[in-house]
Amino acid sequence: MTNRFRVSSTLPRKLEELGLSPKTVLRQAGLPRALFNLDRILVSTEEFFALHRGIAEASNDPAFGLKLGTEERVERYDPVKLAALSARSFRDAVGRLSRYKQLTCPEEIRLVERDNECAVQFVWLLAQES
């Protein structure tokens, strides 16, 4: 497991497509202005949380996160999304995502089953805040 999160290099483009300036997001988040210029964008847990707070603060749309996570063009999917998309079931997709997260960042995805219900939990292993 690594202690860094990889931020997709497509994030700045997606922000712009949705009408949000990447520079504004980075300023709101208190992150370096050149962060999105890196070939491989890696951030700590605190920086990852700050980035998402910056996105929320820069957008007036409470549904912005849902829009940001929506991608209609399959050719833009990264390998982990393709693996989940090709899974046999939702349970299999969550399992594939969970294995990927264990290898690439300090986050766990857990599938918690109780009676006839199932929940997906995201656990930030190095988080100092909720």
Side-chain angles (χ1 to χ4, degrees):
M1 174 184 66
T2 179
N3 65 347
R4 309 293 278 177
F5 288 90
R6 185 174 182 276
V7 176
S8 173
S9 61
T10 63
L11 178 62
R13 181 184 66 212
K14 186 72 174 180
L15 291 170
E16 287 177 347
E17 287 175 2
L18 294 171
L20 201 57
S21 163
K23 289 180 182 180
T24 301
V25 167
L26 291 174
R27 187 174 59 250
Q28 288 290 128
L31 295 171
R33 289 183 290 175
L35 183 68
F36 289 148
N37 297 335
L38 300 174
D39 290 333
R40 191 161 187 234
I41 306 168
L42 296 172
V43 296
S44 68
T45 301
E46 292 80 13
E47 292 167 330
F48 189 75
F49 280 33
L51 176 61
H52 286 278
R53 270 194 308 275
I55 291 170
E57 291 170 6
S59 171
N60 294 325
D61 182 356
F64 192 84
L66 294 173
K67 293 174 185 173
L68 188 60
T70 302
E71 180 58 69
E72 297 172 1
R73 299 177 62 182
V74 176
E75 65 269 17
R76 289 186 180 175
Y77 283 11
D78 58 30
V80 71
K81 290 178 186 168
L82 290 172
L85 187 63
S86 64
R88 294 181 307 273
S89 64
F90 181 71
R91 178 187 308 279
D92 184 32
V94 171
R96 291 173 187 221
L97 291 171
S98 177
R99 283 190 298 280
Y100 172 79
K101 292 292 188 174
Q102 287 175 346
L103 295 172
T104 62
C105 65
E107 177 186 7
E108 282 185 23
I109 299 177
R110 298 177 184 161
L111 198 58
V112 180
E113 299 180 56
R114 192 174 348 158
D115 299 324
N116 290 330
E117 294 182 0
C118 197
V120 178
Q121 290 181 339
F122 298 88
V123 180
W124 308 96
L125 300 175
L126 301 176
Q128 301 297 317
E129 59 186 287
S130 301

